Amino acid sequence: MEPELRDYVGELLDSGTVAGVLALKDELGAVKPYLFTKNNEIGDLVLTSKYPLASVMSMLQKEDPSIKLAIVCRGCDERALIELAKRNQINLDNIVFVGIPCDEEMADKCNCLQPYPKEIVTGEKLSNWVPKNNYEDFKNMSTEEKLIFWKGQLEKCNKCYGCRNACPLCFCSDCELENALWVKHGRLPPEFPIYHVIRAFHLAGKCVGCGECENACPVGIPLMTLNHLLREDIKDLFGYMTGQDIEDENPINTKEEY
Amino acid sequence: MKYDNILTTCPYCGCGCKYYIQVINGVAKGVMPCKEDPVSEGKLCIKGWNVVDFVYSEGRLTKPLIKENGKFREASWDEAYNLIVSKFKKIKEQHGPQAFGLLSSAKTTNEENYLMQKFARSIIVTNNVDHCARLCHASTVAGLAAAFGSGAMTNSIPEFEDADCFLITGSNTTEQHPLIGSRILRAKERGAKIILVDPRLIQLAKFADIHLRQKPGTDVAWLNGLMYVIIKDGLVDEEFVKNRTENYEKLKKEVMNYPPEKVEEITGVPKEDIISAAHIFGNAKTASIIYSMGITQHTTGVDNVKSCANLAMITGNMGKACTGVNPLRGQNNVQGACDLGALPNVFPGYQAVANGEFREKFEKAWKMDDKIPENVGLTVVEMTNEAHAGNIKCLYIMGENPMVSDPDINHVKESLESLDFLVVQDIFLTETAELADVVLPGTSFLEKDGTFTGTDRRVQRVRKAIEPLGESKPDWLIISELASRMGSSAFEYNSPKEIQDEIASLTPLYGGISYERLDDLGYLQWPCLDKDHKGTVFLHKGKFTRGLGCFFPITYKPPAELPDKEYPFTLTTGRILFHFHTGTMTRCVPKLDKEVPTGYVEIHPVDADRLGIKDGEIIKVSTRRGTINIPAYITRKVPEKIVFIPFHFKECAANILTNPALDPIAKIPELKVCACKVESIGE
Ligand code: SF4
Ligand code: SF4
Ligand code: SF4
């Protein structure tokens, strides 16, 4: 997959279609997001590992709104870009999507609902993919058991805000998690359950299931359980799935004039 | 457009998380965790996430400053260097090299610490060089070196994941070392047992299997108590004691004076809890002792540390994975500053200055005509005392802020004011820099190359992400330029890489460490003896560094100052999650300042009620050293009769109150216990 992809993006650079390609680079035994601007660097472009590239893209566009860039993106990156665009956080016209599918191992690791973008330039989409974990264990708990479960989990919180910082859809410059009206400042752990509930609910209809929040959580709080259940609710209640098409109206985004 | 991520090491705590700095067109924009980093695994604490903000904060020094008529004015580097060189030479001529003191820094790189002690020993020709490790883990270095032969954390951070039992004492791990705390929580979910010994109800208390809330300063007593039960109930690892240790009979004799009833009387911990804790620890397959300043910052700091070593050895929890005695070092590079000889008694790699062979080796390598003195130099607190007495005339301080960090600040201030000449090299105009004659602007970790050594002896690269701000210069360059102007030809370096190579050639512990290898491997844990050595994950495997592990029988001694009629409370101090050390870095980060904008004193509701104190009210806390006004935080986190103050905040500085009484061996002050008075002032 990698050699074909390198050729493909090399061509985008050479032809001047884009000024740079946002992708992952192998360096110092680790993998990092990087903006490739020259064809001769492309040899270090890799597809392993996963980083919130949509957030990086949004940051780059803010730096230079007119710049045209390509992004090597997985399903979740694409969905995040689409949801960001619906909220005027990104300009899709200046982005060239270079889609890649996730393999089974990766899709399993993320328990992903949709491990591929709409169009891919190389590799193959997993066919008939259904994620293994349906959170049945959790759903079968009584309300009381759920309360005990979450209490035990959320008391571990280190208030690093990492779940928010890593999330491509958490873009508000004034974050309600930092508003003392809801969450007392300087307390560890943050008050139960408001801190985590605010974040979960603010992501309803936004969350694209990329898993970056849970990956960033130093204490292993199963944040994806919350996200998954909320995504199910949004689907059941409104028939809405995030990140599918820029034209799909988001049920929770109000567009009323007032 | 240029967008890149530079892999570097966190400048805050000793966990040593590596992460990326996101740089757009030469400007640092934020942090991106590194998922492949073995310590952080792509997770960070709030300080790490927001690290970039302090680097660009308005208070950064960007030009040298010279004080004239009590006021600072900006100066050129030439002017500043010339002034320093002429003053240094004059003071050396008039009062000799022993009138100098140099403070190196646990915040700067290994290379810079190496150069600072090289400057002290070869340019000034004094061993009066020390740094703030004196205030946090001097007792660890002394205690563990005596018991095991090496003063460092024995095991490694990733091993915590798999330990069966933790004894955590004097470490508020989830706040001070978040990425170690998180591993303890994960281990707990896997079934590991946690014994917490701490007077306060810290976050970990909720996860502890048993929580012993001892009276501050009674650690030797409960440690001896645990060993009493372990010996009495046959939980000693006889095999280990027989083959690997010496002096056991003496230890046993002493420990047998501490039955649980007596320990309860001294420590206030119910005897049943002492017994259960001893059973949990003694029965665990692998048990790891984790401690921090709650153990070390006492007049009995070395005793406390030796007692921890005793406990680990009688249960055979040494020299294997997931065990050991694990002091968590507070600052990013306090381990490195010690390793590189920023201490008055040792050269880099703990090579004693008293040893003539070592002195000769360094004199030769450093192209010296003078002889390095064989006498051990002065420690931090001794330097201030000697300055006060008029014997130290000149201090050169790099990246330290004794005006907030040291005990009894009023005394520190008088001492610094009585100097003939004070040079401070820092990135901010700290409370200490305010008192200087010349201030030199160093750079932050983002603007230089180097290495830091994390708490588990993990040497990692610091990589330059942006250019130095204004006219500031990396500290290694400042020291080198100053040394050259003092007439030395042994400080000519093109880059820190060359300094690291010199370190490797003179320091067996770091012998195999080079930038090339660090780029390849990500980190190396010392001892790393040569270029083929893989480094050392845990120490004392098969054999202790000193041969046999040595037991020290320890008798309990009460703290230097106990509550009395006039000062009825016990004051204990510490750090919190949202700030770091003297706050110079964290307090200019908006997101951290928002969480905790100023200091507070934690006081139990019963005490508050009795004194008529309301939550948030400004109250007066005084000790024999001084008085501060500070908001009250009424909480059951502290027991009755004990108050806690975080020491980060200069406007209500805990260290105006603390007791400078020293541990006789390590010279660490008793920052963790003193007697105080709490009063409402009706505000
Ligand atoms: S909430 Fe978590 S899974 Fe959902 S978009 Fe944000 S980071 Fe991704
Ligand atoms: S990432 Fe985890 S620890 Fe950090 S704030 Fe979110 S839930 Fe809490
Ligand atoms: S302060 Fe410590 S735990 Fe937090 S990011 Fe830095 S090294 Fe990691």
Side-chain angles (χ1 to χ4, degrees), chain A residues 153-154 156-166 177 188 190 195-196 199 212-223, chain B residues 43-46 49 203:
Chain A
Q153 288 297 329
L154 301 186
K156 298 187 294 184
C157 179
N158 197 244
K159 210 176 189 195
C160 67
Y161 294 92
C163 43
R164 175 199 70 188
N165 298 349
L177 295 179
L188 190 74
Y195 180 86
H196 299 86
R199 214 189 90 78
E212 291 295 344
C213 51
E214 194 173 292
N215 283 336
C217 180
V219 294
I221 295 172
L223 297 166
Chain B
K43 307 149 203 306
L44 302 172
C45 81
I46 186 170
W49 271 109
Q203 190 183 20

Side-chain angles (χ1 to χ4, degrees), chain B residues 10 12-13 15-17 19 44-45 47-48 178-179:
Chain B
C10 184
Y12 289 122
C13 86
C15 287
C17 297
Y19 44 66
L44 302 172
C45 81
K47 295 185 290 292
L179 266 291

Side-chain angles (χ1 to χ4, degrees), chain B residues 246-354:
Chain B
E246 59 188 9
N247 225 13
Y248 176 64
E249 286 309 317
K250 287 206 185 112
L251 171 81
K252 187 168 165 184
K253 198 161 153 248
E254 178 63 39
V255 159
M256 283 305 157
N257 298 325
Y258 294 83
E261 301 73 34
K262 181 170 163 191
V263 173
E264 173 169 346
E265 239 167 71
I266 301 174
T267 63
V269 176
K271 58 179 189 293
E272 299 74 26
D273 288 355
I274 298 277
I275 296 170
S276 335
H279 287 168
I280 296 174
F281 192 88
N283 283 314
K285 234 170 79 208
T286 54
S288 173
I289 300 177
I290 294 177
Y291 73 79
S292 201
M293 267 145 268
I295 282 293
T296 60
Q297 288 178 334
H298 292 279
T299 44
T300 56
V302 176
D303 285 352
N304 293 348
V305 170
K306 284 178 176 165
S307 300
C308 290
N310 289 340
L311 177 61
M313 288 193 292
I314 62 163
T315 51
N317 279 302
M318 283 298 299
K320 44 183 190 178
C322 311
T323 64
V325 180
N326 298 294
L328 304 183
R329 311 294 305 250
Q331 302 230 36
N332 58 324
N333 199 33
V334 65
Q335 185 62 52
C338 293
D339 297 346
L340 274 308
L343 294 171
N345 58 335
V346 287
F347 290 111
Y350 306 97
Q351 304 174 80
V353 294

Side-chain angles (χ1 to χ4, degrees), chain B residues 281-430:
Chain B
F281 192 88
N283 283 314
K285 234 170 79 208
T286 54
S288 173
I289 300 177
I290 294 177
Y291 73 79
S292 201
M293 267 145 268
I295 282 293
T296 60
Q297 288 178 334
H298 292 279
T299 44
T300 56
V302 176
D303 285 352
N304 293 348
V305 170
K306 284 178 176 165
S307 300
C308 290
N310 289 340
L311 177 61
M313 288 193 292
I314 62 163
T315 51
N317 279 302
M318 283 298 299
K320 44 183 190 178
C322 311
T323 64
V325 180
N326 298 294
L328 304 183
R329 311 294 305 250
Q331 302 230 36
N332 58 324
N333 199 33
V334 65
Q335 185 62 52
C338 293
D339 297 346
L340 274 308
L343 294 171
N345 58 335
V346 287
F347 290 111
Y350 306 97
Q351 304 174 80
V353 294
N355 182 323
E357 257 171 60
F358 293 142
R359 286 200 308 277
E360 235 169 77
K361 168 168 118 179
F362 283 96
E363 283 159 5
K364 199 164 147 236
W366 294 341
K367 303 186 203 155
M368 292 174 63
D369 302 325
D370 298 302
K371 294 270 166 248
I372 299 171
E374 60 175 291
N375 294 339
V376 165
L378 298 175
T379 60
V380 170
V381 181
E382 288 169 328
M383 277 186 218
T384 25
N385 288 343
E386 289 301 308
H388 207 261
N391 298 326
I392 290 274
K393 302 285 182 196
C394 174
L395 282 179
Y396 176 12
I397 300 178
M398 166 171 76
E400 295 238 320
N401 191 7
M403 282 292 295
V404 182
S405 64
D406 289 21
D408 196 355
I409 294 171
N410 294 333
H411 174 79
V412 175
K413 182 154 191 247
E414 285 169 22
S415 306
L416 296 183
E417 281 171 348
S418 58
L419 291 167
D420 286 358
F421 194 58
L422 173 63
V423 178
V424 173
Q425 184 171 317
D426 208 302
I427 60 174
F428 294 114
L429 197 62
T430 61

